[in-house]
């Protein structure tokens, strides 16, 4: 096999070395346009997981790396003049130049033909002449651009400027320091990579960079200015560069990683922000996977397909974490008012990879101090601290999210609803929410949707609330009121979600006469008289909800239903007083809110669910979401339930663990409003992390409560908690400990006898 490698960074070099080691008969040629010792940056951090893979694949490289690694455990966060240290993290780093030297030596010893200071031939020529072409030519990959139509690259620039520098002394910890300047906050990321040197990255928002005058400074002046700003962290020492310049980070994503016999590797295929230290790690792991797949598969096409199948989920997860991390630093201004210790916890958990539970295992002293500062009583996880909304005190921070069940008959909730909601109330959550309860017959999503537009329906709901209050004392139950708008008159979810009914359709109303998707029924635009009718339907339903005994009322202004349709510019094309500017688009939802608030008991709280983004170009922006939240709060909302999407059929959500929580986080900090976070929050560890970091006040979980109605009780048991934040129903107390399983504590060998 003849293999061409474009690019002499760590990924390209390691791929070449592995392929040659696995089969010495391979003819491998690597082109690197720079000299052997030309490199960007200074230090490289690798994880124990990556090092383990290297050790198994090539002990020679691993041993050379091991001799040069600098290791440390601590992270220092300096904020508002206060330093907090968290330990137990475990890092290993070495100089990038030394890493390249080790890989150069290994490649040359194995017989790889490395051509320094030489541009690679065009990829078409290489593809014709070689069996495999590995494009490891970096974030600005010319190979990727040459085959852009095949690879489908998407490159996103971000909002911070950064510069990669070094200091001639070793930090004794990974150091994050925030400098408050007259131009705005600037941050330092620093870590040791040798016995006498540290990497220092200085980063700040683009507008701060410009206001501080860095744009006009010569490189030497710029570096000197950075050293003065962070003089205390640097102990008064200067910084040095290696042709360093200010730049912006670019996130690279590709639809495909191979084209014919050409494959992308490392930054050419994907990038991950330096704040989680994963660029070199990902490139090295790519090389390991590619080499393994070439060994395991019978030919190159199947090997490249297997390589992408194996690596893409791992890379996607890392990129989600990296994006969360870089956005945290972009938006750190919103956290500046947090207490320093909570700020430090927030920073450490920013990517959602480090969580409350594993941080507690790494450094129980630090995490315990954060909990005490937050107000957690001894032995109480953050999720089991109480939270007050108006006259209602929730005993814990867990909410059973509204979930449409499509199981009502003529809008009347029946035995299914009693068992469904009753079971989850017995399961320990602080607040259990109904599904969206429709305010009129024509406001239903499906024929199976529950309502509150008749006295019979209200009576049936009273049966549910009575059960919750009597059998699950301490659990609150809330009702979510809504109107389907243009998304109504559809089939039950399991018969075809959002698909029109085959027969028996009813007319639809919406902000504008726009069908939800091709094939959907076209709604009529609400007239002024119909707006009044709908508002009165909400008012009547709220009055019935109060009589039915609900503790909290939520107004559904999300997911493309009627009120949401007024808020989004993609679904509201009106030219009257209810369309146009955001202020006008808010007008009708606020009129409905005011009418409902007027009849809802003053001591009972009201929340509003919104879609903070439409996940579509031209839709609701982050600024819009904050303004919408502020508007409802000004009218008396007690909290905002922050969801996203489902407004337009052509949306492109960025799914992932806790993927909607950043929107709640922004609204909470920028608008100063209590929020409920939703969206793929799946573990009690996630809940504790989000609450303690101050990113949300309450967490709403849906699917976990379908999987386990007693999710909150089990979360308490698994954490060894038995306090006032949760209560096992008397008949269930015998099950408050996890059942025993098979034995796992067999005696371990105590002696190893020599041969």
């Amino acid at each position: 096999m003849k293999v061409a490698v474009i690019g002499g960074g760590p990924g390209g070099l390691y791929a070449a070395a592995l392929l040659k080691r696995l089969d010495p008969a391979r003819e491998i040629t690597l082109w690197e346009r720079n000299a052997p010792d030309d490199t960007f940056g200074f230090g490289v951090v690798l994880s124990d997981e990556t090092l383990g893979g290297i050790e198994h694949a090539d002990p020679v490289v691993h041993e050379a790396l091991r001799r040069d690694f600098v290791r440390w455990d601590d992270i220092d966060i300096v904020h508002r003049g206060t330093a907090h240290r968290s330990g137990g993290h475990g890092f290993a780093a070495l100089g990038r130049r030394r890493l390249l030297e080790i890989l150069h030596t290994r490649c040359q010893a194995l017989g790889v033909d490395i051509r320094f200071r030489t541009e690679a031939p065009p990829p078409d020529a290489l593809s014709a002449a070689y069996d495999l072409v590995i494009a490891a030519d970096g974030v600005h990959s010319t190979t990727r651009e040459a085959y852009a139509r095949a690879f489908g690259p998407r490159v996103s620039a971000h909002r911070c400027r950064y510069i990669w520098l070094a200091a001639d002394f070793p930090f004794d910890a990974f150091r994050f320091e925030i400098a408050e300047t007259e131009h705005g906050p600037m941050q330092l990321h620093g870590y040791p990579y040798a016995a006498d040197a540290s990497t220092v990255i200085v980063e700040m928002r683009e507008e701060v960079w410009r206001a501080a005058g860095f744009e006009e400074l010569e490189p030497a002046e710029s570096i000197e200015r950075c050293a003065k700003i962070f003089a205390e962290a640097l102990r008064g020492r200067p910084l040095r560069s290696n042709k360093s310049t200010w730049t912006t980070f670019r996130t690279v994503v590709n639809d495909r990683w191979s084209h014919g016999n050409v494959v992308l590797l490392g930054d050419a295929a994907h990038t991950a922000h330096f704040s989680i230290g994963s660029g070199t790690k990902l490139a090295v792991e790519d090389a390991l996977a590619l080499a393994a797949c070439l060994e395991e598969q019978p030919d190159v096409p199947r090997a490249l397909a297997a390589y992408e199948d194996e690596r893409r989920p791992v890379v996607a997860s890392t990129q989600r974490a990296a994006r969360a991390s870089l956005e945290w630093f972009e938006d750190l201004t919103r956290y500046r008012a947090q207490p320093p210790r909570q700020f430090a916890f927030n920073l450490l958990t920013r990517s959602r990879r480090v969580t409350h539970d594993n941080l507690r295992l790494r450094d129980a002293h630090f995490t315990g101090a954060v909990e005490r500062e937050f107000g957690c009583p001894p032995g109480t996880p953050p999720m089991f601290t109480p939270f007050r909304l108006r006259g209602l005190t929730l005993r814990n921070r867990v909410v059973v999210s509204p979930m449409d069940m499509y199981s009502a008959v003529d809008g009347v909730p029946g035995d299914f609803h009693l068992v469904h909601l009753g079971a989850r109330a017995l399961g320990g959550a602080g607040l259990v929410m109904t599904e969206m309860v429709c305010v009129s017959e024509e406001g239903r999503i499906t024929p199976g949707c529950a309502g509150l537009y008749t006295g019979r329906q209200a009576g049936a709901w009273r049966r549910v609330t009575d059960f919750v209050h009597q059998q699950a004392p301490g659990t609150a139950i809330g009702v979510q009121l809504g109107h389907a708008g243009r998304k109504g008159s559809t089939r039950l979810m399991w018969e075809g979600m959002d698909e029109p009914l085959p027969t028996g359709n009813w007319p639809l109303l919406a902000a504008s006469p726009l069908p939800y998707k091709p094939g959907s029924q076209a709604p009529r635009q609400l007239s002024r008289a119909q707006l009044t009718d709908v508002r009165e339907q909400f008012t009547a339903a709220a009055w019935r909800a109060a009589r039915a005994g609900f503790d909290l009322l939520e107004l559904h202004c999300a997911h493309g239903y009627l009120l949401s349709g007024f808020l989004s510019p993609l679904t509201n094309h009106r030219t009257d007083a209810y369309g146009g500017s955001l202020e006008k688009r808010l007008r009708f939802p606020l009129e409905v809110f005011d009418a409902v608030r007027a009849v809802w008991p003053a001591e009972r709280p009201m929340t509003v669910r919104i879609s903070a983004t439409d996940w579509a170009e031209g839709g609701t922006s982050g600024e819009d979401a904050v303004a919408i939240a502020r508007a409802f709060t000004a009218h008396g909302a007690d909290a905002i339930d922050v969801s996203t999407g489902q407004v337009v059929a052509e949306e492109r959500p960025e799914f992932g663990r806790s993927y909607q929580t950043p929107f709640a986080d922004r609204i909470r900090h920028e608008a100063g409003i209590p929020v409920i976070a939703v969206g793929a929050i799946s573990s009690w560890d996630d809940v504790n992390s989000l609450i303690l970091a101050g990113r949300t006040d309450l967490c709403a979980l849906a699917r976990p409560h379908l999987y386990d109605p007693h999710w909150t009780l089990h979360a308490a048991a698994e954490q060894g908690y038995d306090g006032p934040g949760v209560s096992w129903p008397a008949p269930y107390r015998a099950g408050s400990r996890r059942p025993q399983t098979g034995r796992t504590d067999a005696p371990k060998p105590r002696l190893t006898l020599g041969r």
Side-chain angles (χ1 to χ4, degrees):
M1 176 183 277
K2 293 178 64 179
V3 180
V5 182
I6 308 170
L13 287 165
Y14 193 50
L18 285 174
L19 292 176
K20 189 68 172 175
R21 179 174 183 270
L22 289 168
D23 185 353
R26 287 173 175 145
E27 180 184 321
I28 300 178
T29 307
L30 184 149
W31 285 266
E32 171 53 55
R33 63 184 179 181
N34 295 315
D37 57 353
D38 286 345
T39 182
F40 172 74
F42 296 93
V44 173
V45 179
L46 295 176
S47 69
D48 288 340
E49 181 181 46
T50 305
L51 292 173
I54 293 173
E55 183 176 17
H56 283 94
D58 193 337
V60 173
V61 171
H62 181 267
E63 178 58 23
L65 293 173
R66 188 191 62 78
R67 288 194 297 267
D68 281 278
F69 266 129
V70 174
R71 291 185 177 273
W72 72 98
D73 291 324
D74 297 331
I75 298 176
D76 285 345
I77 298 100
V78 184
H79 170 52
R80 296 196 328 214
T82 303
H84 289 290
R85 172 166 290 193
S86 172
H89 296 277
F91 295 99
L94 80 166
R96 184 178 174 87
R97 183 170 292 174
R98 178 60 185 141
L99 173 61
L100 293 177
E101 288 173 356
I102 290 169
L103 294 175
H104 292 158
T105 300
R106 186 60 172 150
C107 283
Q108 289 161 352
L110 291 167
V112 175
D113 180 8
I114 304 180
R115 301 180 183 181
F116 293 112
R117 300 184 182 89
T118 307
E119 290 283 352
D124 280 345
L126 291 175
S127 179
Y130 287 80
D131 300 301
L132 174 66
V133 180
I134 300 174
D137 47 349
V139 64
H140 302 292
S141 171
T142 56
T143 310
R144 185 183 67 231
E145 295 310 308
Y147 297 129
R149 186 169 295 179
F151 291 128
R154 300 188 301 280
V155 181
S156 305
H158 298 284
R159 297 176 289 171
C160 281
R161 291 268 184 165
Y162 70 95
I163 188 168
W164 206 297
L165 304 167
D168 292 325
F169 74 94
F171 284 118
D172 63 353
F174 207 128
R175 187 179 182 98
F176 294 103
E177 180 158 343
I178 312 303
E180 302 282 359
T181 75
E182 60 182 312
H183 310 292
M186 305 176 186
Q187 57 257 26
L188 174 147
H189 309 242
Y191 58 88
Y193 68 86
D196 59 354
S198 295
T199 290
V200 175
I201 304 170
V202 177
E203 183 186 28
M204 65 198 74
R205 285 282 290 254
E206 174 86 17
E207 59 269 26
V208 175
W209 181 78
R210 293 185 185 279
F214 282 109
E215 188 176 18
E216 288 80 31
L217 295 180
E218 293 295 323
E221 295 174 310
S222 192
I223 294 165
E224 185 177 349
R225 170 83 68 84
C226 289
K228 288 180 179 178
I229 291 169
F230 293 101
E232 184 175 346
L234 299 170
R235 307 171 195 172
R237 303 189 188 200
L239 292 167
R240 58 182 170 87
S241 77
N242 179 16
K243 302 176 183 176
S244 307
T245 59
W246 290 98
T247 188
T248 57
F249 188 80
R250 291 153 60 91
T251 296
V252 175
V253 177
N254 285 278
D255 293 335
R256 289 165 296 281
W257 293 358
S258 65
H259 171 59
N261 63 345
V262 180
V263 64
L264 301 177
L265 184 146
D267 282 355
H270 45 70
T271 58
H273 193 249
F274 57 80
S275 62
I276 64 168
S278 289
T280 301
K281 165 184 159 65
L282 287 177
V284 169
E285 291 174 351
D286 281 356
L288 285 162
L290 179 60
C293 290
L294 286 164
E295 288 296 297
E296 295 162 356
Q297 300 298 325
D299 53 44
V300 167
R302 277 180 278 193
L304 299 188
Y307 157 71
E308 185 168 346
D309 287 345
E310 177 181 335
R311 290 295 295 156
R312 186 175 283 281
V314 177
V315 168
S317 175
T318 302
Q319 286 191 308
R320 285 194 296 270
R323 188 178 185 95
S325 179
L326 79 85
E327 289 179 348
W328 193 96
F329 283 108
E330 285 180 340
D331 297 324
L332 71 82
T333 297
R334 71 174 59 141
Y335 308 116
R336 287 158 73 183
Q338 285 189 313
R341 199 174 268 113
Q342 185 183 45
F343 178 91
F345 179 87
N346 197 350
L347 186 153
L348 291 170
T349 59
R350 67 195 180 279
S351 72
R352 301 191 284 278
R353 292 223 159 161
V354 176
T355 63
H356 170 265
D357 194 44
N358 60 42
L359 192 56
R360 186 164 52 85
L361 290 173
R362 298 178 192 199
D363 191 341
H365 176 77
F366 170 80
T367 308
V370 180
E371 291 172 346
R372 288 191 296 275
E373 190 176 80
F374 181 79
C376 298
T380 301
M383 66 185 291
F384 292 116
T385 56
F387 190 74
R388 187 175 181 83
L389 288 170
R390 202 171 284 239
L392 176 67
T393 298
L394 302 176
R395 66 183 176 189
N396 63 54
R397 308 297 185 100
V398 179
V399 179
V400 176
S401 198
M403 294 175 279
D404 288 320
M405 293 289 106
Y406 310 108
S407 299
V409 177
D410 296 327
V412 178
D415 289 346
F416 177 89
H417 296 82
L418 176 67
V419 174
H420 166 68
L421 294 170
R424 278 135 194 94
L426 292 171
L431 172 64
V432 175
M433 293 297 300
T434 69
E435 61 196 270
M436 184 179 91
V437 176
C438 303
V439 298
S440 65
E441 186 175 17
E442 63 273 15
R444 293 173 298 163
I445 309 167
T446 75
C449 287
L452 259 173
Y453 47 88
T454 70
R456 183 176 169 220
Q457 293 163 355
W461 281 119
R462 183 78 206 200
R463 179 172 174 239
V464 174
T465 64
D466 282 348
F467 177 89
V468 171
H469 293 144
Q470 293 165 15
Q471 302 300 325
T475 296
I477 182 166
V479 61
Q480 185 188 69
L481 293 184
H483 186 298
R486 70 176 188 155
K487 294 178 75 176
S489 192
T490 61
R491 305 179 192 190
L492 304 183
M493 180 180 65
W494 46 88
E495 294 175 353
M497 187 171 178
D498 295 324
E499 293 297 322
L501 291 168
T503 59
N505 284 280
W506 56 85
L508 302 181
L509 300 172
S512 297
L514 306 170
Y516 178 62
K517 64 179 185 178
S520 294
Q521 182 185 161
R524 290 176 293 162
Q525 178 169 304
L526 281 157
S527 67
R528 186 65 190 87
Q530 289 170 324
L531 291 172
T532 301
D533 290 342
V534 168
R535 187 184 68 220
E536 291 177 352
Q537 290 167 358
F538 272 95
T539 304
W543 180 83
R544 292 189 184 96
R547 301 264 298 179
F550 286 104
D551 302 301
L552 175 148
L553 186 149
E554 179 165 282
L555 191 64
H556 201 338
C557 297
H559 301 167
Y561 298 123
L562 183 71
L563 299 181
S564 170
F566 277 85
L567 295 174
S568 172
L570 298 178
T571 52
N572 184 343
H573 294 179
R574 300 175 75 102
T575 57
D576 61 4
Y578 295 94
S581 67
L582 178 58
E583 183 181 9
K584 291 182 176 180
R585 299 198 307 273
L586 267 162
R587 184 176 177 183
F588 182 62
L590 288 174
E591 286 181 358
V592 172
F593 180 92
D594 290 342
V596 170
R597 182 70 267 185
V599 301
W600 185 245
E603 71 281 4
R604 299 188 207 177
M606 271 187 67
T607 64
V608 179
R609 174 168 278 203
I610 67 169
S611 285
T613 177
D614 299 335
W615 298 113
E617 187 175 353
T620 298
S621 67
E623 292 77 13
D624 290 343
V626 172
I628 290 168
R630 283 179 173 145
F632 278 112
T633 305
H635 282 245
D638 299 291
I640 304 299
D641 187 354
V642 186
S643 188
T644 66
Q646 301 178 58
V647 175
V648 292
E650 59 271 22
E651 67 177 5
R652 295 189 65 177
E654 297 175 6
F655 292 118
R657 178 166 145 254
S658 305
Y659 73 105
Q660 295 180 145
T661 59
F663 298 96
D665 186 1
R666 178 174 185 175
I667 288 171
R668 185 179 191 271
H669 284 91
E670 293 189 13
I673 299 162
V675 296
I676 305 169
V678 304
I681 303 170
S682 56
S683 71
W684 50 257
D685 194 16
D686 287 336
V687 175
N688 283 329
S689 301
L690 293 166
I691 297 295
L692 193 57
R695 296 182 194 138
T696 188
D697 299 285
L698 300 166
C699 287
L701 298 89
R703 289 179 177 85
H705 282 115
L706 294 180
Y707 181 77
D708 179 3
H710 300 126
W711 186 90
T712 309
L713 292 178
H714 293 156
E718 289 168 14
Q719 295 175 81
Y721 174 73
D722 183 18
V726 70
S727 178
W728 283 80
Y732 287 3
R733 283 177 190 157
S736 61
R737 288 183 295 176
R738 179 180 284 185
Q740 293 182 1
T741 57
R743 184 176 177 181
T744 59
D745 60 344
K748 295 178 174 58
R750 301 299 297 155
L751 292 173
T752 301
L753 301 178
R755 293 180 181 177

